Amino acid sequence: MSRHKVPTENPATTFAVGWDTPLATYFAQHFTEPADLDDDPEELFWLGGTPCELPTTEDLTAALAQYGAALPAGLLQQLDADRLAEGAHFNGRPATVLIAAAALDAANPGQADRIREQLRGAL
């Protein structure tokens, strides 16, 4: 799994993107920084939390555009390199297989097709 912090205009927030190998998806997380150590961060958005949700950097870019966020080209290239280095499969990950099977009912048709393809390769 990779994770890269992305600078934001607001220092009170944290924005990170990366490749989640077990779920075979890119992700993006944007949170507020808690003002107090006893407080929890507030999630502004979290994309790529389900199997095969954002399988390409193009999918990640399109999802981020809905929030008015964009990534530098160099970071997109690094994310592609992360995916290639770490792989994109469910093989050897029994928990991911269970999570993916459970996610099928809620997945959109394209995501469901990608999950089924991954499950065929993992069984």
Side-chain angles (χ1 to χ4, degrees), residues 14-15 18 20-21 26 31 33 37 40 46 50 53 55 66 69 72 77 79 87 89 101 103 108 110 116-117 121:
T14 297
F15 181 49
D20 187 327
T21 306
Y26 288 102
F31 293 93
E33 292 292 335
L37 291 177
D40 291 326
W46 188 332
T50 61
E53 183 178 340
Q66 296 175 22
Q77 291 170 345
L79 290 169
H89 53 79
N108 66 51
R116 285 187 194 94
E117 183 179 324

Side-chain angles (χ1 to χ4, degrees), residues 6-88:
V6 180
T8 64
E9 293 180 12
N10 182 350
T13 66
T14 297
F15 181 49
V17 296
W19 173 251
D20 187 327
T21 306
L23 294 181
T25 188
Y26 288 102
F27 67 88
Q29 302 168 323
H30 195 187
F31 293 93
T32 61
E33 292 292 335
D36 187 300
L37 291 177
D38 293 329
D39 293 338
D40 291 326
E42 177 186 348
E43 178 183 313
L44 301 173
F45 65 79
W46 188 332
L47 307 169
T50 61
C52 304
E53 183 178 340
L54 302 170
T56 68
T57 52
E58 291 82 10
D59 293 321
L60 176 63
T61 299
L64 287 172
Q66 296 175 22
Y67 293 92
L71 299 176
L75 181 53
L76 291 171
Q77 291 170 345
Q78 179 60 54
L79 290 169
D80 280 332
D82 293 344
R83 181 183 51 78
L84 290 172
E86 297 181 25

